[in-house]
Amino acid sequence: MPYSIEHKQHSQERILAAAVDLFCRFGFDKISVAQVMKQANMTHGAFYAHFKSKSMLYAQAIKHAAVHSLWTREQHNISQLSDFKYLIESYLSLGHVNQLGSPCPLAFLVTDVAHSEPAVREVYQQTLQSMLSSMAKQLEQLDLKNPSALAQQIMTSMIGAVSVARTLSDEQLQLSILNNAKTVLFNQLKANE
């Protein structure tokens, strides 16, 4: 008897959640399909019922991570500038850098994706463009000037700060980078009010 659609969707969600966690922690090259399936508590053979290749899984994991990211989950709660600043503070935190919650694929996979095949890079680009568009709309609703340019400045600053902080072992330096990025971004927001 074949599995139900719900069972297959649940299984795919488990695989994607495991893939996001492992790819964000260790990168594409250091993780095997077998490791992903083990973390998902599934057999290696079950992988191919859901994905054709590890690269396809990687591309889908980027999308999955974006859907479950802090920004995507919380953007509908933004009704004033202080809510937007709270999201920036949450993103630029040691908890996020240390992957204690949902990691942002844009920051956690940036160097990995730069060396990936074109299809994966295209998914990353689409994810970035979608998040930029969403952020620009939010900034426009907050009546800030130049919402598209401001969204690019904010997004790239946040991605860069988190990416660099993740490479460091000195927690004080990590905090310094994150806090300086917050200060710059808050000043940019103020300048565009």
Side-chain angles (χ1 to χ4, degrees), residues 106-125:
L106 300 174
F108 280 65
L109 300 174
V110 66
T111 55
D112 238 21
V113 170
H115 304 290
S116 294
E117 59 188 55
V120 171
R121 293 177 74 168
E122 181 62 30
V123 168
Y124 184 94
Q125 180 175 309

Side-chain angles (χ1 to χ4, degrees), residues 57 81 86:
L57 170 64
L81 193 55
Y86 173 77

Side-chain angles (χ1 to χ4, degrees), residues 63 119 121-132:
K63 290 180 184 179
R121 293 177 74 168
E122 181 62 30
V123 168
Y124 184 94
Q125 180 175 309
Q126 289 170 359
T127 301
L128 175 65
Q129 288 173 321
S130 174
M131 293 180 96
L132 284 171

Side-chain angles (χ1 to χ4, degrees), residues 46-95:
F47 173 82
Y48 296 99
H50 300 279
F51 303 98
K52 292 180 182 174
S53 67
K54 181 179 164 188
S55 291
M56 184 180 172
L57 170 64
Y58 191 59
Q60 291 300 313
I62 292 170
K63 290 180 184 179
H64 183 83
V67 167
H68 293 89
S69 71
L70 175 70
W71 171 257
T72 304
R73 284 192 337 262
E74 297 295 329
Q75 67 180 337
H76 64 281
N77 293 325
I78 298 173
S79 61
Q80 52 194 355
L81 193 55
S82 61
D83 300 327
F84 195 87
K85 287 180 177 180
Y86 173 77
L87 275 180
I88 290 173
E89 285 190 35
S90 298
Y91 189 99
L92 294 172
S93 69
L94 280 180

